[in-house]
């Protein structure tokens, strides 16, 4: 039988355990409540500092019902959507107090000031959209801590400085849009680590340097826009590894070298624009492997050689090869499903006749080449004469063009040469006769001016 002392000890132990179980959860809850209350108070103060809801006075108790604000069950702000909300002023550094914030959209407002470094502390942020404002300064390197971010849009602002290499740490990023700013410096090679990226837009800035070959690792990228910068060097062949790419625009830069044939591996590519660069060499015939290509713009480069027939096998693409040094004939054979709506081959060195272009063309420009023969009637009725200007051996029913002669088409040059001979030969004959007459006249005058020599008589010198 247990002693009274042992029983007392057991009872006290159970009581102690019960007290621990009862008291500690209460203490924990109180601590959590205190912490939550403190965080909510900091959020309320941050909203007042932002000043974007001044019409609601200073009463922050009902902030979760304010326009553009969403909260979670604990009353903490998770979303701010003030797009087109007439927000002005700068972004207060105290915005970092909104620690639960996941979505921040302040696009199309009148925000000024610099991008705050403190935004890099919002590690739960998934979308950060500050486009179409007047914010300035450089992108803080600390924003590389936004590991949850999947959208970063700072387009149409006044951002300066380089792209920080730390943005390569945003592994979940799917959209990066920094277009329409004043960003300088090179494209960081670290952006090649953003393997979840679907859209990358750095267009309309002052970016220099080369395109990093590491970008070829962005196999989920669908849209790549670098237009209107100062990017130089060649197009890396690694871009051909972007198997998901739908649109590629590298126009209006300083790119040089050859067009890489690896671009033909982009089987989903619908839009390719490399115009207004310094690209040279021939067109790669493999470009015709882009079976879904709808628009191909290679104008205003230094491309040479012939037009590969394969280029015309793409079913629907706009084709602009103008302002190059392309020569030879326009291909006469086309794919059965070929349906080109816009064709611009102007300002090249093309020769031969105009091929059958009887499909439904909406725009045509063959001007300033060396094409010959008749302009087809169906083209004459559809397009004005400026589509054919600058081809001196073309003829047809168009203003500024001579009617086609009855002689065979291939004798048109001979006819023009005969006209040339008919004018030049008489002039040359006249000049020859004139020169001969002048020569004879000068010779006659020279003969008249020669003095007669003195004659010495034979015989006695003393005879008179």
């Amino acid at each position: 039988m247990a002693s009274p002392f042992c029983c007392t000890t057991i009872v006290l132990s159970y009581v102690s355990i019960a007290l621990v179980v009862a008291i500690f959860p209460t203490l924990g809850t109180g601590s959590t409540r205190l912490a939550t209350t403190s965080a909510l108070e900091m959020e309320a103060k941050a909203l007042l500092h932002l000043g974007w809801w001044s019409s609601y006075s200073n009463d922050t108790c009902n902030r979760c019902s304010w326009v553009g604000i969403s909260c979670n069950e604990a009353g903490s702000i998770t979303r701010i959507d003030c797009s087109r909300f007439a927000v002005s002023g700068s972004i207060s550094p105290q915005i970092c107090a909104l620690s639960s914030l996941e979505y921040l959209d302040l696009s199309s407002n009148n925000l000024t000031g610099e991008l705050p470094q403190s935004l890099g502390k919002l590690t739960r942020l998934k979308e950060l959209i500050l486009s179409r404002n007047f914010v300035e300064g450089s992108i803080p390197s600390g924003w590389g801590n936004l590991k949850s971010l999947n959208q970063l849009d700072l387009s149409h602002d006044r951002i300066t400085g380089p792209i920080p290499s730390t943005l390569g740490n945003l592994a979940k990023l799917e959209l990066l849009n920094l277009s329409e700013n004043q960003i300088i410096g090179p494209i960081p090679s670290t952006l090649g680590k953003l393997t979840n990226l679907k859209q990358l837009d750095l267009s309309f800035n002052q970016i220099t340097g080369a395109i990093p070959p590491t970008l070829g690792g962005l196999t989920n990228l669908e849209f790549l826009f670098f237009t209107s910068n100062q990017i130089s060097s060649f197009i890396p062949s690694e871009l051909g590894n972007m198997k998901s790419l739908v649109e590629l625009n590298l126009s209006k830069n300083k790119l040089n070298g050859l067009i890489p044939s690896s671009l033909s591996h982009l089987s989903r590519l619908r839009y390719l624009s490399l115009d207004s660069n310094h690209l040279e060499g021939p067109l790669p015939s493999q470009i015709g492997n882009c079976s879904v290509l709808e628009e191909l713009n290679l104008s205003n480069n230094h491309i040479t050689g012939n037009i590969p027939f394969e280029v015309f096998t793409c079913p629907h693409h706009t084709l602009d090869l103008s302002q190059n040094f392309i020569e030879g004939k326009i291909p006469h054979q086309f794919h059965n499903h070929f349906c080109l709506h816009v064709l611009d081959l102007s300002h090249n060195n093309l020769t031969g006749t105009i091929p059958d272009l009887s499909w439904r063309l909406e725009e045509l420009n063959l001007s300033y080449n060396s094409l010959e023969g008749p302009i087809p009637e169906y083209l004459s009725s559809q397009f004005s004469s400026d589509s054919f200007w600058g081809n001196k051996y073309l003829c047809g029913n168009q203003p500024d063009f001579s009617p086609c002669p009855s002689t065979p088409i291939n004798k048109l040059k001979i006819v023009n040469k005969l006209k040339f001979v008919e004018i030049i030969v008489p002039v040359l004959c006249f000049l020859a006769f004139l020169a001969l007459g002048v020569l004879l006249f000068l010779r006659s005058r020279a003969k008249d001016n020669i003095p007669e020599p003195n004659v010495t008589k034979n015989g006695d010198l003393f005879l008179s």
Side-chain angles (χ1 to χ4, degrees):
M1 183 177 179
S3 66
F5 175 78
C6 291
C7 292
T8 303
T9 303
I10 293 171
V11 169
L12 288 174
S13 298
Y14 278 112
V15 170
S16 298
I17 293 170
L19 286 172
V20 169
V21 171
I23 293 173
F24 271 87
T26 305
L27 290 174
T29 304
S31 175
T32 303
R33 285 174 180 171
L34 288 173
T36 302
T37 302
S38 176
L40 293 178
E41 288 177 353
M42 290 177 65
E43 284 190 2
K45 290 180 180 178
L47 290 182
L48 293 178
H49 275 280
L50 290 172
W52 299 334
W53 292 273
S54 56
S55 59
Y56 293 92
S57 69
N58 293 331
D59 182 13
T60 58
C61 296
N62 297 319
R63 58 185 176 273
C64 291
S65 62
W66 291 0
V67 175
I69 291 182
S70 300
C71 300
N72 58 20
E73 294 180 355
S76 189
I77 297 173
T78 58
R79 178 189 291 268
I80 294 179
D81 185 354
C82 292
S83 56
R84 305 179 186 277
F85 198 57
V87 169
S88 60
S90 60
I91 304 174
S92 170
Q94 293 191 3
I95 196 172
C96 66
L98 307 178
S99 57
S100 298
L101 197 63
E102 297 181 0
Y103 303 93
L104 178 60
D105 187 350
L106 303 175
S107 59
S108 302
N109 281 293
N110 297 311
L111 290 172
T112 56
E114 297 190 351
L115 299 171
Q117 178 84 21
S118 60
L119 275 174
K121 297 179 181 179
L122 301 177
T123 54
R124 296 184 182 181
L125 208 59
K126 296 179 181 178
E127 292 185 12
L128 177 55
I129 305 175
L130 304 178
S131 59
R132 299 183 184 278
N133 279 284
F134 302 95
V135 291
E136 54 192 12
S138 57
I139 302 171
S141 59
W143 285 17
N145 297 323
L146 300 175
K147 300 296 180 63
S148 300
L149 206 63
N150 56 51
Q151 289 193 33
L152 177 59
D153 190 348
L154 306 178
S155 61
H156 295 83
D157 283 309
R158 296 180 177 177
I159 298 171
T160 57
I163 302 172
S165 60
T166 53
L167 293 189
N169 299 330
L170 308 181
K172 294 184 179 180
L173 206 62
E174 296 182 4
L175 181 148
L176 177 59
N177 191 347
L178 307 179
S179 63
E180 299 274 1
N181 281 289
Q182 296 151 32
I183 296 173
I184 61 172
I187 302 170
S189 60
T190 54
L191 297 187
K193 299 190 297 182
L194 304 178
T195 53
N196 288 308
L197 207 61
K198 294 183 178 179
Q199 179 171 335
L200 176 58
D201 192 347
L202 306 180
S203 55
F204 295 97
N205 279 288
Q206 299 171 29
I207 296 172
T208 55
I211 299 175
T214 55
L215 296 188
L218 304 180
T219 54
N220 290 311
L221 197 67
E222 297 178 2
F223 303 94
L224 177 59
F225 305 129
F226 288 168
T227 185
S228 298
N229 279 285
Q230 299 176 35
I231 302 172
S232 57
S233 191
F234 54 89
I235 301 173
S237 60
E238 287 82 356
L239 295 192
N241 298 327
M242 297 179 173
K243 300 298 179 62
S244 301
L245 209 60
V246 176
E247 295 189 15
L248 174 60
N249 192 338
L250 307 179
S251 64
K252 297 178 177 63
N253 279 286
K254 297 181 179 179
L255 295 168
N256 53 57
L258 303 176
I259 299 173
S261 59
S262 61
L263 296 184
S264 64
H265 301 157
L266 305 177
S267 57
R268 298 184 59 192
L269 197 65
R270 294 184 179 275
Y271 178 95
L272 174 59
S273 183
L274 307 177
D275 66 279
S276 304
N277 280 288
H278 305 303
L279 298 172
E280 56 192 12
L283 279 172
S285 60
Q286 296 91 336
I287 205 74
N289 295 336
C290 300
S291 56
V292 296
L293 197 63
E294 295 180 0
E295 183 167 344
L296 176 61
N297 189 345
L298 306 178
S299 63
N300 197 19
N301 278 288
H302 301 152
I303 298 172
T304 56
N306 299 334
I307 302 176
F309 163 73
E310 290 81 1
V311 172
F312 288 91
T313 61
C314 299
H316 300 289
H317 54 304
T318 295
L319 177 59
D320 191 345
L321 304 179
S322 63
Q323 300 186 64
N324 280 287
F325 300 95
I326 300 172
E327 55 192 12
K329 298 181 178 181
I330 303 173
H332 284 65
Q333 296 176 338
F334 302 104
H335 192 270
N336 292 334
H337 302 292
F338 186 71
C339 186
L340 195 66
H341 297 296
V342 178
L343 177 62
D344 193 342
L345 303 177
S346 62
H347 295 272
N348 279 289
N349 300 319
L350 294 169
T351 57
T353 58
I354 299 175
D356 180 16
L357 305 176
S358 56
W359 59 80
R360 191 181 64 180
L361 270 171
E362 296 176 0
E363 295 181 29
L364 175 66
N365 195 346
L366 303 177
S367 62
Y368 298 98
N369 281 284
S370 297
L371 298 172
E372 60 186 59
I375 301 171
E377 287 291 336
Y378 61 89
L379 295 180
S380 296
S381 61
Q382 187 176 357
F383 301 104
S384 60
S385 59
D386 57 359
S387 295
F388 311 100
W389 280 346
N391 293 279
K392 61 181 179 180
Y393 295 122
L394 282 180
C395 62
N397 298 325
Q398 282 276 10
D400 306 317
F401 286 91
S402 302
C404 292
S406 57
T407 54
I409 296 170
N410 58 3
K411 293 184 179 179
L412 182 60
K413 285 185 178 180
I414 299 175
V415 172
N416 288 335
K417 287 179 181 178
L418 289 175
K419 290 182 179 179
F420 176 79
V421 169
E422 289 176 358
I423 297 172
I424 294 299
V425 170
V427 173
L428 291 177
C429 291
F430 171 76
L431 292 176
F433 281 114
L434 182 62
L436 182 60
V438 171
L439 182 62
L440 292 174
F441 174 74
L442 293 175
R443 186 174 179 181
S444 174
R445 287 195 61 184
K447 185 180 290 186
D448 292 341
N449 292 332
I450 295 175
E452 292 185 1
N454 293 329
V455 180
T456 304
K457 295 182 180 180
N458 295 328
D460 192 350
L461 295 174
F462 298 97
L463 294 177
S464 56

